[in-house]
């Protein structure tokens, strides 16, 4: 508002606020919502529209109102705008009136950690009324010094900097950018495309203090004594209690931190999972729950009914129903990989319970998964996802703060008649069994990748 009527400028630079849409006050969201939708910046709720960063909106407003035709905007904004699905509208590089925008250059300051928060700042240089190049130059700044004062002057910081040239390309309007060394881009780009498999986000199990239960002792032939509230860092504090619950709806829990390449370790806690295949996405009706389990959930009714996921997606159903449950949740085999950090995939099926029974592993919300009916297909996919080039392509086209379940890699469907497919599955089985070390399976997977996806030029 302070610059209203100030005219237009050839250069506008700044560091706009980095605030996610969901964290804005409701009144402010209502006030600016029309502008955001007019500019095509808000995606649907399932695509992460609430993760839109306010700085993208401010950039659009500045370009529309204060930057002259052919003028430039230089804004410090998060790197993830180049890759998160919530920023797809911004990456179409077009104003509401159709004026094109050109992304001319990027400077990556992430390695310098200029802010106390764990964020990845980049300088975006945008030009009004112009079409941008397919390949955008990226300057990546690094420093040999381990630490420095956050208020150190630029003259002191710049003296120890090294600069690496990278490049960013988008395969389609609005698509995430693939960012890497220019010479590596053709190889990685050849891996991109539509996958034959649909990735899913794992089941949302909040509040963890209700659904994650630590087994204490077997109470009888068909019950187990458990203690709840076993997630001390959970946002929702739940009073601690011990009780005996029936074993019917207790399952092995798999968390993101339990997954490594070709290895998965279930959590010490069990998951109370009041769902079964016959009920589909809905929870088991109350009258079918065992007595103790039903009474336990009733004690937490108020807390469970106040969940945002329940009000938005499960209203009208059982108050204890979990979100993101479907036939894929009950598949006999799942290829899983964490939502955060580097791509590392493993195959899970069943795991032993404390009382000796084996039950199907249930991955929780910080994991992504692909459901499979056959173990060989699951191991084939797991091997592909752990291939070095696939891991690099996935890392370089997605944001490390939230790896998407929708794979941007053109994974071909499993064909048991093809030797390469069977060989990949065999490598995965051997790696899961500990019979082959990473130093051996990495080059082998890369070699097989070049035969399963022949357009890929293997090698680093």
């Amino acid at each position: 508002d302070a610059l209203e009527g100030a005219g237009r400028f050839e250069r506008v630079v700044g560091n706009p606020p980095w605030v996610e849409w969901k964290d804005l006050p409701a009144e402010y969201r209502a006030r600016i919502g029309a502008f955001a939708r007019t500019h095509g910046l808000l995606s649907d709720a399932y695509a992460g529209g609430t993760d839109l960063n306010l700085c993208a909106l401010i950039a659009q407003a500045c370009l529309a109102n204060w930057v002259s035709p052919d003028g430039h905007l230089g804004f410090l904004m998060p790197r993830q705008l180049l890759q998160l699905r919530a920023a797809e509208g911004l990456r179409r590089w077009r104003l509401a009136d159709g004026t094109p925008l050109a992304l001319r250059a990027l400077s990556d300051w992430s390695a310098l950690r200029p802010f106390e928060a764990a964020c990845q700042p980049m300088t975006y240089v945008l030009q009004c009324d112009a079409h941008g190049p397919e390949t955008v130059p990226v300057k990546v700044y690094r420093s040999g010094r381990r630490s420095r004062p956050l208020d150190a002057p630029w003259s002191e910081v710049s003296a120890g900097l090294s600069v690496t040239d990278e490049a960013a390309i988008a395969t389609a309007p609005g698509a995430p950018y693939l960012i890497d060394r220019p010479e590596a881009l053709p190889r990685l780009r050849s891996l991109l495309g539509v996958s034959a498999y649909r990735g899913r986000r794992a089941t949302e199990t909040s509040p963890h203090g209700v659904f994650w239960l630590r087994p204490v002792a077997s109470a009888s032939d068909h019950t187990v004594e458990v203690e709840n509230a076993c997630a001390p860092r959970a946002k929702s504090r739940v009073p601690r209690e011990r009780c005996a619950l029936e074993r019917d709806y207790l399952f092995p829990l798999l968390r993101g931190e339990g997954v490594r390449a070709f290895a998965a370790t279930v959590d010490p806690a069990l998951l109370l999972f009041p769902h079964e295949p016959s009920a589909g996405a809905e929870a088991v009706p109350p009258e079918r729950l065992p007595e103790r389990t039903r009474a336990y959930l009733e004690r937490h009714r108020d807390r469970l009914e106040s969940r945002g996921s329940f009000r938005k997606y499960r209203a009208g159903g059982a108050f204890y129903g979990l979100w993101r449950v479907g036939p894929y949740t009950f598949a006999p085999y799942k290829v899983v990989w964490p939502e955060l950090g580097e791509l590392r995939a493993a195959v899970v099926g069943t795991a032993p319970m404390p009382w000796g029974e084996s039950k199907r592993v249930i991955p929780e919300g910080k994991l992504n998964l692909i459901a499979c009916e056959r173990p060989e297909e699951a191991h084939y996919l797991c091997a592909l996802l752990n291939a070095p080039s696939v891991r690099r392509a996935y890392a370089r086209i997605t944001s490390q703060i939230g790896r998407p379940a929708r794979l941007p890699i053109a994974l071909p469907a499993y064909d048991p008649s093809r030797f390469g497919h069977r060989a990949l599955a065999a490598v995965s089985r051997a790696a899961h069994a500990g019979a082959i070390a990473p130093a051996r399976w990495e080059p082998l997977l890369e070699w097989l990748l070049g035969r399963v996806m022949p357009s890929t030029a293997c090698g680093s």
Side-chain angles (χ1 to χ4, degrees):
D1 293 342
L3 290 178
E4 187 174 354
R8 293 184 176 273
F9 305 89
E10 287 294 319
R11 302 286 187 273
V12 175
V13 298
N15 176 17
W18 297 11
V19 183
E20 290 185 348
W21 184 263
K22 63 176 178 286
D23 295 327
L24 292 170
E27 311 81 48
Y28 190 64
R29 288 201 305 267
R31 200 174 91 190
I32 64 176
F35 181 91
R37 288 180 173 83
T38 299
H39 284 255
L41 294 178
L42 277 179
S43 56
D44 64 86
Y46 290 92
T50 56
D51 293 328
L52 174 70
N53 201 294
L54 180 62
C55 64
L57 191 66
I58 296 174
Q60 283 272 7
C62 290
L63 286 159
N65 297 308
W66 300 330
V67 179
S68 63
D70 297 325
H72 290 78
L73 175 83
F75 263 15
L76 193 68
M77 298 191 292
R79 176 190 174 101
Q80 55 261 35
L81 293 181
L82 293 171
Q83 294 167 329
L84 286 181
R85 194 173 181 194
E88 180 179 332
L90 175 69
R91 293 194 300 269
R92 295 186 183 280
W93 308 124
R94 188 170 295 276
L95 297 179
D97 63 1
T99 300
L101 303 173
L103 179 61
R104 289 295 184 194
L106 295 158
S107 297
D108 189 344
W109 308 97
S110 304
L112 302 184
R113 300 180 64 85
F115 305 121
E116 292 183 358
C119 55
Q120 296 181 294
M122 296 187 81
T123 302
Y124 292 66
V125 178
L126 294 163
Q127 183 181 6
C128 266
D129 205 17
H131 294 279
E134 180 188 33
T135 303
V136 180
V138 182
K139 296 288 185 183
V140 181
Y141 292 87
R142 295 182 175 85
S143 174
R145 294 184 57 178
R146 291 183 177 271
S147 63
R148 70 176 63 80
L150 291 175
D151 58 352
W154 173 247
S155 57
E156 177 185 331
V157 174
S158 60
L161 292 184
S162 63
V163 184
T164 303
D165 288 321
E166 293 190 354
I169 58 172
T171 55
Y177 276 79
L178 177 66
I179 307 171
D180 209 324
R181 303 186 309 270
E183 65 272 17
L185 287 175
R187 171 173 57 91
L188 298 184
R189 190 174 185 176
S190 71
L191 290 166
L192 304 182
V194 179
S195 172
Y197 296 90
R198 179 174 180 179
R200 305 272 190 172
R201 286 286 303 279
T203 300
E204 175 55 60
T205 60
S206 297
H208 302 153
V210 172
F211 292 104
W212 295 10
L213 303 172
R214 183 173 66 88
V216 178
S218 293
S220 71
D221 289 343
H222 194 62
T223 64
V224 60
E225 187 177 350
V226 296
E227 183 178 66
N228 74 330
C230 58
R233 291 177 291 179
K235 293 180 181 178
S236 176
R237 292 294 180 182
V238 179
R240 188 180 298 275
E241 66 171 294
R242 283 193 180 189
C243 61
L245 295 183
E246 297 87 355
R247 300 170 180 174
D248 305 61
Y249 295 103
L250 296 176
F251 287 83
L253 169 67
L254 181 67
R255 301 170 60 191
E257 62 189 34
V259 177
R260 306 185 307 278
F262 298 121
T265 304
V266 297
D267 201 76
L270 305 178
L271 177 66
L272 176 56
F273 185 68
H275 291 259
E276 56 187 31
S278 60
E282 299 299 326
V284 175
E287 62 273 14
R288 289 177 51 194
L289 288 176
E291 180 182 358
R292 293 174 181 271
T293 300
R294 183 169 63 250
Y296 170 79
L297 291 170
E298 280 288 349
R299 291 197 292 275
H300 296 282
R301 176 186 280 269
D302 291 346
R303 180 172 284 104
L304 296 178
E305 287 183 335
S306 68
R307 291 174 295 164
S309 61
F310 173 74
R311 295 195 305 268
K312 192 167 187 178
Y313 306 118
R314 286 287 179 261
F319 68 88
Y320 45 80
L322 296 174
W323 171 235
R324 294 200 298 263
V325 176
Y328 50 91
T329 312
F330 304 99
Y333 303 96
K334 305 175 190 73
V335 183
V336 296
W337 68 97
E339 182 190 16
L340 303 176
E342 295 182 350
L343 175 60
R344 52 194 192 275
V347 175
V348 295
T350 61
M353 302 296 282
W355 52 89
E357 177 187 9
S358 287
K359 299 185 78 172
R360 196 157 294 168
V361 173
I362 306 297
E364 67 92 24
K366 294 300 182 183
L367 284 165
N368 299 321
L369 64 91
I370 295 175
C372 296
E373 293 297 320
R374 297 170 293 171
E376 291 304 308
E377 184 172 32
H379 281 286
Y380 154 79
L381 282 171
C382 185
L384 281 179
L385 293 183
N386 284 320
S389 287
V390 171
R391 295 175 69 181
R392 186 176 184 91
Y394 187 68
R396 289 296 184 150
I397 200 172
T398 61
S399 170
Q400 69 176 11
I401 67 169
R403 304 297 190 197
R406 298 190 181 189
L407 290 162
I409 310 298
L411 300 174
Y414 177 65
D415 183 351
S417 69
R418 294 188 59 183
F419 167 78
H421 291 212
R422 298 194 309 274
L424 283 166
V427 172
S428 175
R429 282 189 176 277
H432 277 85
I436 180 171
R440 292 183 58 200
W441 58 249
E442 286 185 350
L444 182 55
L445 290 179
E446 197 70 4
W447 183 81
L448 288 169
L449 179 67
R451 278 129 190 91
V452 171
M453 301 175 70
S455 61
T456 305
C458 296
S460 59

